[in-house]
Amino acid sequence: MRQVLLAIALAVPLAITAIGLGAIALSERVGATLLDGRAPANLAEAGASARADLVIRFLRAGEDPARVYPVHQDVISSAVLEATALEAAIWSRQLEIVELLDREGAIPHDGGTRRSLACLALDLGVDDVAEYLAAADAAPCMPEQALQAVMARTRSAERR
Amino acid sequence: MIGVVEPVAVTPASSAARWTAFAYGVSIALILAHFVLGLPVQVSDSLGDILKLSASWSDLLSAQFTQQGFMRPFHWGSLKLVHDLSGGNYYVWYRGAHVLQVIVLVLLYLALVRPRTWTDAAVLPLGLGVLVGLHTFAGTVREAFPINLYLTVLICCFAAAVVVLGRYRWWNDVLLVTLFVVATLTLETGLLVWVIAVGGWMIGARGISRGGVVALVVLLAGYFYLRFGVLGVGSPGLAERSSGFGFGILEPSELVERFGTRPIVFYGYNVVTSALSVLLSEPTGGVFQVVRALRAGAVSPVMIVNLISSLGATLLIGRYIWTRRRQWQAGLTIRGGVHGATLERDDRLVLLFAAVLAANAVITFPYSKDVIMSPAGGFLAAAVFVAARHLLATAPSAAGTSTRWALVTVAAVLVASTWGLRAAGLHASLRVRAVAERLDWAYLDGNIAHGEVQIPRDARSMTVVRTLQDDALVRHPAPRPLNLPLGRLLGVED
């Protein structure tokens, strides 16, 4: 009896671990999910989550960096539920993602988009991004204007 | 803990127990393989090497005999072989090779410990938990170069032990010589195959003949003559790379400054701390992490888990050695030129662990790196299996009072649980790594543009880069992140 109890004491904790890991592996193999965390669902969420790998993947899959995407409230905040990939990246202070999106051609050369993004970065106090996006000949920013524009989008979506 | 040895109560061999153990082992291998497949071919330590593989076989291999510090032609041969066979399908072939290595390793572990009874089947989860949960193993699956040469050597070491501890067959000597050559010319720790084969023979294992031992001795002498005498490859110097010392990492320049005139102090430190690392999980990578955390008042739960589990495993082996000391004294006495004839197979396996631990630590002298100690870690897992089997077989009759018995059972639950956490932690870390490696691919273009990654920019090289990048980011994207309970105990949140 003692031997059986000791055998159970040695085997069961590890067997439970193996069963748990096996269940995760099996569920993933058949396309289901078990104990998995939330993964970014679109380009904006990937940008906000610093998931550069998914940014590239969503871009290759045809997602539009200029499009406004729904953003889960856990990703940025409950005040920002809709954003473009660049806005989301700036809001999450992700300079590397902004640079990556720029390299991928996500910032059009129209001047206006870059300026409004730089203004958003200034409003949010993300100095490194603001510096990266700043253009010598750009008009000065109106404080809070870019920030309010993004947040107004969420308020508008909530009213809808 | 329990010093009295009563007649061993071993459950009879059973075909059902054997198959249960086999099925469990294969399951563990396949689960680990699933997580390993989540990793892409890496940028670091892999991309640069893959880009060199378009060179001819002769250029590639001859370069291995003319560089300083390292001589690894078989590693480069295996990289080249898989590269040429892949036809550009790098992810499938290189990750497939890694998965194959994992499965072969677990099968060899089963062959080494030979689970045959229900008692064996009961301790197998602990043995495999130690095998994959020990920190020295992590580097064999978290990284690839892009074929993990540490895992290749671990496989060769296990294979050598299986052969030398088994029944003699005419081809055993040829197999052991082949394993020695492949392992030694893959990585310097491959020399441990020699320790296992010759050490095994010295303690009475007869899977190798006297002629085989002589051949290995000659080959070892030839290896050193070739490496140090003819080719002048030598061994890595102090300036080779950074290494842990005390409570932090010293850069090569700091190593030269502190130990340039007396490197023996640094080498001795590496040998001792490498052995301690396997037995206690402290220090790791040459750094006394737990002591440092204690001083800073910042001990993390995972450190406690690692310490408890390793201490438990080492005490278990210590108990085995203590209870078997008389048989060992008798068995290790040379009578009529026969060594270790009265030792049992399990004794030899534990003795081989001791020999591999000592030799592995000595080979690690130039710098501390956990994964270099992976052969000693692998044999620790085998020794833990033997010791736990022995505990199960002897403890019921030896454990005396109920209080003492209850303590033994609680200790067993604690040790098994902490090893379960470590094994789960490895899998969780593989999932974290799956994302981290892909971030390297995502930022590669920027890093190339900034000169932080330097690779050839010719058309052929860039085609390979794009293929690997698309493999990692588009064709085989990162698996979903895991949200496992007890994250802090698993070490994934630290």
Side-chain angles (χ1 to χ4, degrees):
Chain A
M1 186 60 187
R2 280 180 171 182
Q3 192 188 33
V4 173
L5 275 176
L6 187 55
I8 290 171
L10 284 172
V12 167
L14 282 142
I16 289 172
T17 305
I19 289 167
L21 291 169
I24 290 168
L26 204 58
S27 70
E28 289 180 347
R29 282 284 146 201
V30 298
T33 55
L34 189 68
L35 285 177
D36 61 341
R38 195 177 179 284
N42 55 49
L43 188 56
E45 288 194 353
S49 308
R51 286 291 302 272
D53 58 322
L54 294 182
V55 167
I56 301 280
R57 188 175 178 226
F58 285 127
L59 285 173
R60 298 281 190 276
E63 291 206 1
D64 181 1
R67 185 184 149 192
V68 175
Y69 286 95
V71 180
H72 191 274
Q73 62 178 7
D74 292 345
V75 177
I76 299 175
S77 85
S78 56
V80 183
L81 301 178
E82 291 197 337
T84 66
L86 279 154
E87 288 167 353
I90 293 168
W91 217 289
S92 298
R93 302 171 178 272
Q94 301 296 337
L95 173 62
E96 284 186 311
I97 296 289
V98 172
E99 290 176 333
L100 175 66
L101 284 164
D102 193 13
R103 268 198 307 277
E104 293 289 324
I107 304 177
H109 296 287
D110 57 8
T113 306
R114 178 174 285 271
R115 178 184 167 274
S116 65
L117 290 169
C119 292
L120 177 63
L122 278 175
D123 289 344
L124 290 166
V126 190
D127 295 341
D128 55 354
V129 174
E131 189 182 341
Y132 175 78
L133 292 170
D137 55 347
C141 297
M142 292 286 289
E144 299 279 308
Q145 189 181 45
L147 181 95
Q148 290 301 331
V150 177
M151 291 176 74
R153 212 183 285 138
T154 294
R155 287 195 294 272
S156 165
E158 282 171 347
R159 279 198 294 276
R160 285 198 304 271
Chain B
M1 186 162 49
I2 300 157
V4 184
V5 183
E6 297 290 328
V8 173
V10 179
T11 54
S14 147
S15 168
R18 201 174 304 167
W19 278 107
T20 301
F22 179 75
Y24 183 85
V26 169
S27 301
I28 293 296
L30 292 178
I31 292 167
L32 184 54
H34 171 76
F35 282 82
V36 167
L37 275 179
L39 298 171
V41 173
Q42 299 161 226
V43 173
S44 61
D45 291 329
S46 289
L47 175 58
D49 288 352
I50 288 179
L51 293 178
K52 291 176 189 165
L53 294 174
S54 56
S56 70
W57 278 89
S58 57
D59 288 349
L60 206 60
L61 297 184
S62 62
Q64 289 302 304
F65 293 100
T66 53
Q67 61 178 355
Q68 269 295 311
F70 304 99
M71 190 169 80
R72 301 169 176 175
F74 263 90
H75 173 57
W76 281 90
S78 64
L79 294 184
K80 173 75 173 162
L81 182 66
V82 174
H83 174 269
D84 289 359
L85 287 171
S86 74
N89 201 354
Y90 304 118
Y91 171 86
V92 170
W93 279 80
Y94 281 118
R95 304 314 298 146
H98 206 168
V99 161
L100 189 64
Q101 283 183 302
V102 167
I103 293 170
V104 168
L105 180 79
V106 173
L107 292 177
L108 283 169
Y109 179 83
L110 293 176
L112 194 57
V113 298
R114 290 185 178 173
R116 291 178 173 185
T117 67
W118 285 112
T119 301
D120 299 347
V123 297
L124 184 65
L126 178 63
L128 285 170
V130 176
L131 179 70
V132 303
L134 193 68
H135 61 286
T136 58
F137 182 76
T140 67
V141 285
R142 275 193 208 145
E143 297 176 68
F145 307 101
I147 291 178
N148 194 298
L149 63 174
Y150 297 98
L151 197 44
T152 304
V153 166
L154 183 51
I155 286 169
C156 288
C157 287
F158 271 10
V162 169
V163 172
V164 81
L165 291 173
R167 190 161 49 88
Y168 182 75
R169 298 175 180 87
W170 65 267
W171 41 264
N172 281 14
D173 294 336
V174 178
L175 190 52
L176 284 165
V177 163
T178 306
L179 285 168
F180 172 76
V181 172
V182 170
T184 305
L185 295 180
T186 294
L187 184 68
E188 288 69 22
T189 44
L191 290 167
L192 293 170
V193 167
W194 188 94
V195 174
I196 292 161
V198 177
W201 178 80
M202 289 174 70
I203 55 175
R206 287 296 173 261
I208 183 171
S209 71
R210 194 179 291 264
V213 170
V214 170
L216 283 174
V217 170
V218 170
L219 278 174
L220 181 71
Y223 172 81
F224 280 110
Y225 178 67
L226 185 70
R227 180 171 182 135
F228 293 95
V230 178
L231 301 172
V233 173
S235 58
L238 281 175
E240 189 64 45
R241 63 180 70 196
S242 57
S243 186
F245 187 82
F247 301 122
I249 304 288
L250 296 181
E251 294 302 319
S253 58
E254 295 173 300
L255 288 171
V256 172
E257 188 184 335
R258 287 182 67 166
F259 303 107
T261 54
R262 47 192 181 114
I264 193 75
V265 175
F266 177 64
Y267 294 156
Y269 174 86
N270 288 339
V271 171
V272 172
T273 54
S274 294
L276 275 178
S277 178
V278 172
L279 296 173
L280 299 174
S281 293
E282 171 75 355
T284 51
V287 180
F288 284 87
Q289 310 270 9
V290 179
V291 180
R292 185 175 65 180
L294 272 173
R295 283 158 51 119
V299 177
S300 66
V302 70
M303 289 177 177
I304 297 168
V305 166
N306 291 351
L307 266 183
I308 290 174
S309 54
S310 282
L311 198 60
T314 300
L315 285 175
L316 197 59
I317 295 170
R319 173 196 177 272
Y320 178 84
I321 294 170
W322 178 253
T323 54
R324 296 289 299 168
R325 65 191 182 283
R326 294 204 174 83
Q327 287 86 342
W328 281 27
Q329 281 166 0
L332 291 174
T333 306
I334 301 171
R335 292 197 182 86
V338 179
H339 314 250
T342 59
L343 292 174
E344 294 178 7
R345 188 179 187 279
D346 278 0
D347 297 324
R348 294 192 181 110
L349 198 43
V350 176
L351 279 164
L352 276 186
F353 159 62
V356 170
L357 177 66
N360 202 164
V362 168
I363 293 173
T364 314
F365 79 91
Y367 54 89
S368 291
K369 192 175 173 185
D370 290 338
V371 71
I372 301 176
M373 292 301 289
S374 54
F379 278 83
L380 174 85
V384 165
F385 177 93
V386 166
R389 167 158 66 189
H390 190 259
L391 174 73
L392 267 186
T394 57
S397 55
T401 66
S402 295
T403 309
R404 199 173 181 186
W405 170 246
L407 283 174
V408 171
T409 308
V410 168
V413 171
L414 189 63
V415 170
S417 301
T418 47
W419 279 111
L421 286 169
R422 290 183 79 167
L426 173 80
H427 291 77
S429 74
L430 287 173
R431 196 46 64 85
V432 172
R433 196 74 183 234
V435 172
E437 301 295 356
R438 285 176 172 85
L439 294 184
D440 285 348
W441 282 111
Y443 290 124
L444 181 66
D445 290 349
N447 289 335
I448 292 173
H450 294 141
E452 290 165 21
V453 174
Q454 291 176 342
I455 55 169
R457 306 290 287 277
D458 59 280
R460 195 210 151 270
S461 295
M462 291 315 292
T463 302
V464 174
V465 170
R466 294 291 165 239
T467 303
L468 288 165
Q469 201 172 32
D470 283 354
D471 274 346
L473 301 177
V474 180
R475 280 188 286 273
H476 304 282
R480 293 173 73 87
L482 281 181
N483 188 19
L484 292 178
L486 305 173
R488 281 184 63 75
L489 288 174
L490 302 178
V492 289
E493 290 179 5
D494 286 87

